[in-house]
């Protein structure tokens, strides 16, 4: 099939390369000319495991093309996917400016019957509202479908090629048939396509993110309670997760959730509840708990120094909102950095992939170290915010020898408290049984 994808961010580029890998002829379009020029040379503009190889392979095979011209991409395509950003406005609602502009551009570019698919995460009713925008610019027939994307940054290629499910919101049989054909290559081990109404598909995406975020906020609250009562969140998690009605996936306490999706999607869902008069108390509580959680590590570090952080040197490991990505949008590390800097601390950070994005966003607000141990050198405390594999088993003796005071704050509960203390460091996790760092 001939496929057009508008937007070459995480969703658009992974989908474009993924559909090409499944044997389709894909043209990806983006407004960002520099990004498109790079992509034509096989250069992926962000870090996502396996993606560069997938893009390069399909470029070479001639199944994947890049352009800044929506007309070139959409003309002749059977399916045109909208994969542009839907950032939060200040009131929490989703900003649909790019989605609407894309719908108009697709309308102008149609040359025959085309299925127009929203892959961006959009509020309920958005796909229906696109119909007049497309129709205003074309006389050609088209059908609308919603196909929300569930890929996880850091494992996006795998998620795309082996999806847990493919959601299709559509009522036009031609749209359903086209999407079935589009995804045929990932259905070999079973039909994972769920067909529902446009509105159900749009809501299912937000509901999934709200449930994932709620589990995280719930575990973060339990972790606070663990610290207050001397219990261990890892043990509580094991006991909780063994219940098949609960399951153990995504039940980790940490520095609060972040990234480009969960915070903005929960805010958009909450706004949808407000606009429809439906009180979404769980969603509101999840967001509130997350704001508190994002301050926890900073509060613990401040408490460790008796509230006197001015001039203290803090080493920070991990800037990306999760491992295996360079995405720092709404990353917990950014909130922590702002909190520590406001208290007068001086920060040196290290991240295996996200330092260029951090440099672009933060300028000189934080020093960036060439490697993890350089970030810890001479520091009064070291805090782990993102559990990259290379940061999970530090050399505690080396930290003890090179830090000014070896106070370790493990925001992801991946370090060994026993090993850290045996090496003479103090250790504090999140919900590992004590509010203050204990010196071993
Ligand atoms: P992104 O910000 O990484 O990329 C968006 C791209 O769209 C940019 O390259 C931008 O230049 C381009 N663009 C914007 N307006 C355009 C226009 N009018 N014409 C052509 N190109 C245009 O976004 P993303 O992270 O890929 O997210 C896209 C959508 O998918 C959002 O709605 C998001 O919520 C959703 N989503 C994201 C993820 C994720 O993990 N990032 C997962 C599932 C769903």
């Amino acid at each position: 099939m001939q496929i057009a994808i508008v937007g070459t961010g995480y969703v658009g580029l992974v989908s474009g390369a993924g559909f090409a890998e499944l044997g389709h002829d894909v043209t990806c379009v983006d407004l960002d000319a520099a990004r498109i020029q790079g992509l034509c040379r096989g250069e992926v503009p962000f870090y996502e495991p396996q993606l560069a190889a997938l893009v390069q392979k399909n470029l070479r095979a001639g199944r994947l093309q890049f352009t800044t011209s929506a007309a070139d991409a959409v003309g002749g395509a059977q399916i045109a996917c909208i994969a542009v950003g839907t950032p939060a406005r200040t009131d929490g609602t989703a900003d649909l400016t790019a989605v609407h502009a894309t719908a108009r551009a697709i309308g102008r570019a149609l040359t025959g019957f085309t299925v127009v698919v929203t892959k961006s995460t959009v509020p309920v009713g958005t796909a229906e509202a696109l119909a007049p925008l497309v129709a205003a610019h074309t006389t050609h027939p088209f059908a609308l479908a919603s196909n929300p994307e569930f890929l996880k940054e850091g494992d996006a290629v795998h998620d795309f090629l082996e999806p847990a499910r493919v959601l299709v919101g559509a009522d036009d049989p031609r749209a359903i048939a086209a999407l079935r054909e589009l995804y045929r290559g990932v259905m070999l081990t079973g039909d994972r396509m769920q067909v529902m109404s446009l509105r159900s598909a749009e809501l299912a995406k937000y509901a999934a993110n709200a449930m994932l975020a709620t589990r995280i906020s719930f575990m973060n609250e339990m972790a606070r309670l663990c610290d207050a009562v001397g219990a261990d969140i890892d043990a509580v998690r094991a006991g909780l997760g063994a219940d098949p009605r609960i399951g153990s996936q995504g039940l980790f306490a940490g520095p609060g959730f972040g990234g480009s999706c969960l915070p903005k999607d929960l805010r958009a869902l909450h706004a949808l509840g407000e606009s429809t008069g439906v009180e979404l108390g769980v969603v509101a509580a999840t967001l509130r708990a997350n704001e508190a959680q994002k301050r926890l590590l900073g509060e613990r570090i401040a408490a460790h120094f008796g509230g006197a952080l001015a001039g203290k040197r803090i080493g920070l490991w991990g800037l990306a909102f999760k491992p295996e990505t360079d995405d720092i949008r709404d990353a917990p590390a950014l909130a922590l950095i702002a909190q520590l800097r406001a208290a007068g601390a001086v920060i040196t950070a290290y991240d295996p992939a996200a330092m260029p994005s951090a440099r672009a966003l933060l300028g000189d607000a934080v020093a960036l170290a060439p490697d993890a141990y350089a970030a810890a050198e001479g520091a009064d405390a070291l805090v782990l915010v993102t559990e990259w594999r290379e940061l999970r088993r530090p050399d505690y003796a080396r930290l003890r020898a090179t830090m000014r005071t070896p106070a370790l704050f493990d925001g992801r509960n991946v370090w060994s408290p026993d090993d850290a203390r045996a090496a003479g460091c103090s250790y504090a996790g999140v919900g590992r049984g004590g509010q203050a760092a204990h010196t071993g």
Side-chain angles (χ1 to χ4, degrees), residues 18-363:
F19 288 137
E21 179 71 11
L22 298 179
H24 300 296
D25 287 321
V26 180
T27 306
C28 295
V29 54
D30 204 291
L31 291 176
D32 183 338
R35 177 170 284 220
I36 290 298
Q37 276 162 18
L39 282 166
C40 289
R41 296 189 296 267
E43 294 162 14
V44 171
F46 46 83
Y47 175 71
E48 178 62 45
Q50 302 175 46
L51 184 57
L54 198 70
V55 167
Q56 288 155 12
K57 175 184 167 197
N58 284 285
L59 264 176
R60 276 197 305 273
R63 289 188 296 262
L64 184 60
Q65 294 184 332
F66 297 97
T67 176
T68 52
S69 160
D72 288 353
V74 175
Q78 285 124 295
I79 295 180
C81 295
I82 302 174
V84 296
T86 50
R89 290 203 198 92
T90 44
D91 65 357
T93 57
D95 183 345
L96 297 175
T97 310
V99 170
H100 291 163
T102 302
R104 291 188 196 96
I106 288 175
R108 282 192 290 273
L110 293 186
T111 54
F113 176 76
T114 306
V115 182
V116 179
V117 178
T118 29
K119 279 196 95 53
S120 299
T121 303
V122 291
V124 179
T126 300
E128 288 166 13
L130 296 185
L133 300 183
V134 179
H137 297 278
T138 187
T139 51
H140 292 290
F142 62 91
L144 289 164
S146 163
N147 172 222
E149 184 51 60
F150 291 92
L151 58 77
K152 297 186 293 297
E153 284 177 31
D155 201 19
V157 170
H158 168 260
D159 281 345
F160 187 84
L161 293 174
E162 288 177 47
R165 78 298 214 186
V166 174
L167 249 62
V168 171
D171 43 26
D172 187 316
R174 293 170 299 177
I176 297 167
L179 281 155
R180 197 168 280 293
E181 188 55 31
L182 179 64
Y183 280 102
R184 181 180 295 280
V186 299
M187 300 292 167
L188 300 181
T189 55
D191 186 357
R192 285 174 258 191
M193 185 173 284
Q194 299 176 5
V195 181
M196 55 190 74
S197 70
L198 283 168
R199 286 177 174 241
S200 300
E202 288 169 336
L203 185 54
K205 171 64 193 176
Y206 280 106
N209 276 356
M211 178 62 90
L212 292 171
T214 301
R215 283 166 74 91
I216 296 169
S217 276
F218 178 78
M219 290 309 284
N220 285 338
E221 284 197 342
M222 290 303 110
R224 283 168 175 255
L225 202 53
C226 283
D227 281 333
V229 301
D232 179 3
I233 192 66
D234 295 336
V236 171
R237 173 179 184 267
L240 197 62
D243 187 325
R245 292 168 301 178
I246 298 172
S248 57
Q249 296 281 309
L251 277 187
F252 293 99
F257 59 78
S260 69
C261 292
L262 294 193
K264 90 165 166 56
D265 290 350
L266 262 77
R267 292 179 68 208
L269 184 61
H270 188 252
L272 182 67
E274 284 190 327
S275 69
T276 52
V278 178
E279 191 187 335
L280 300 181
V282 175
V283 175
T286 297
L287 282 166
R288 220 172 29 247
N290 197 51
E291 285 313 304
Q293 194 69 14
K294 287 200 291 190
R295 299 193 61 77
L296 182 78
L297 280 174
E299 286 162 3
R300 297 248 168 109
I301 296 168
H304 180 80
F305 293 108
L309 278 179
K312 287 281 184 279
R313 280 222 33 230
I314 313 288
L316 189 147
W317 282 5
L319 292 158
F321 84 96
K322 63 180 338 194
E324 299 300 331
T325 181
D326 60 358
D327 196 347
I328 58 167
R329 290 179 281 184
D330 244 326
L334 300 181
L336 178 61
I337 287 169
Q339 184 185 7
L340 293 174
R341 288 190 75 234
V346 179
I347 297 155
T348 305
Y350 169 75
D351 187 286
M355 296 211 285
S357 2
R359 172 64 73 225
L361 185 77
L362 299 171

Side-chain angles (χ1 to χ4, degrees), residues 14 53 68 108 177 254 384 404 423 427 431 434 439:
V14 171
T68 52
R108 282 192 290 273
L384 177 77
R404 208 153 77 90
Y427 174 90
T439 307

